[in-house]
Amino acid sequence: MLLVGFIAAAAQGRIELVTEAVFDGAKTGVGVSFGLISVMVFWLGMMRIAEDAKLLEKLAKLLGPIVGFLFPDVPKNHPALGFIMSNMSANLLGLGNAATPMGIRAMQELQKLNSDKETASPAMCTLLAINTASITLIPTTLIAIRMNFNSANPAEIVGTTLIATMIATAAAIIADRWYRNRHAPPAKRSTSPKMPLERTG
């Protein structure tokens, strides 16, 4: 698109429009970045306070049964579960940038459990689905963008975002369960030799 725009501007003899657009885009990008940085710093600080106050541990305990249901093939007390719960906690607060490192660490731990290193395991697929379509209680990043563009009510999207992410998460879990059941390995047949029936009478 940039090339097409440059060619069109050159054909009309208006190359200065391309230069103006480049500078305006850079100016807008810098402004949005600073707006996001301020909000992200605030919420990451809040996350650090919550971590020091053991609130994240309590949230992780609440998520424990849900994580156990979603990841039945991950052993109990495995390090991957801790990273998964941290990833889900950050996503609940709309902190996608904070959730990404935890998601990467969780994937690394799940890869250690994966018997086929060339193919994603069911647990890895589940994590990807949950991380992509996570329930968001506070859409922090979207609120920051709306604030940066002078929205009259930046937080008015909280309710609709919660409903949309709940539907997306439910759809992701249903799809994940369906594919798990569809591609589950067949039950192993018993290989023990059959004993002949004895005749009586």
Side-chain angles (χ1 to χ4, degrees):
M1 291 184 66
L2 290 174
L3 180 60
V4 172
F6 181 81
I7 293 174
Q12 297 177 12
R14 302 293 302 275
I15 294 294
E16 70 277 4
L17 295 178
V18 177
T19 305
E20 291 177 7
V22 169
F23 281 105
D24 287 342
K27 182 180 178 181
T28 302
V30 171
V32 172
S33 297
F34 275 110
L36 289 175
I37 288 172
S38 60
V39 175
M40 289 300 298
V41 167
F42 170 76
W43 281 108
L44 287 174
M46 294 295 291
M47 284 281 287
R48 184 57 184 269
I49 294 173
E51 184 180 359
D52 292 341
K54 308 297 182 182
L55 293 179
L56 290 183
E57 290 183 11
K58 294 178 180 178
L59 180 59
K61 288 181 180 179
L62 291 176
L63 294 175
I66 300 174
V67 172
F69 167 76
L70 294 174
F71 300 90
D73 44 353
V74 178
K76 239 182 176 182
N77 300 322
H78 192 276
L81 294 179
F83 291 118
I84 290 171
M85 287 187 282
S86 297
N87 172 266
M88 294 176 65
S89 300
N91 277 323
L92 282 173
L93 298 176
L95 300 173
N97 291 340
T100 299
M102 297 300 176
I104 293 173
R105 291 294 304 275
M107 281 292 187
Q108 292 173 342
E109 293 296 331
L110 291 176
Q111 180 69 350
K112 296 177 182 178
L113 298 172
N114 190 7
S115 57
D116 184 1
K117 302 301 182 184
E118 301 298 324
T119 305
S121 66
M124 296 171 77
C125 294
T126 300
L127 175 59
L128 180 62
I130 296 298
N131 184 68
T132 304
S134 174
I135 295 177
T136 304
L137 300 178
I138 306 173
T140 307
T141 303
L142 289 178
I143 291 175
I145 293 174
R146 290 170 61 87
M147 288 175 60
N148 193 73
F149 285 98
N150 302 317
S151 172
N153 188 1
E156 66 181 351
I157 60 171
V158 170
T160 52
T161 301
L162 179 60
I163 294 172
T165 54
M166 287 176 65
I167 294 173
T169 301
I173 293 174
I174 292 171
D176 177 70
R177 294 292 116 174
W178 185 75
Y179 275 105
R180 273 181 179 260
N181 294 333
R182 185 179 181 186
H183 297 286
K188 294 182 179 180
R189 296 180 179 178
S190 175
T191 56
S192 58
K194 295 182 178 180
M195 300 298 293
L197 295 175
E198 295 182 0
R199 293 183 179 180
T200 58

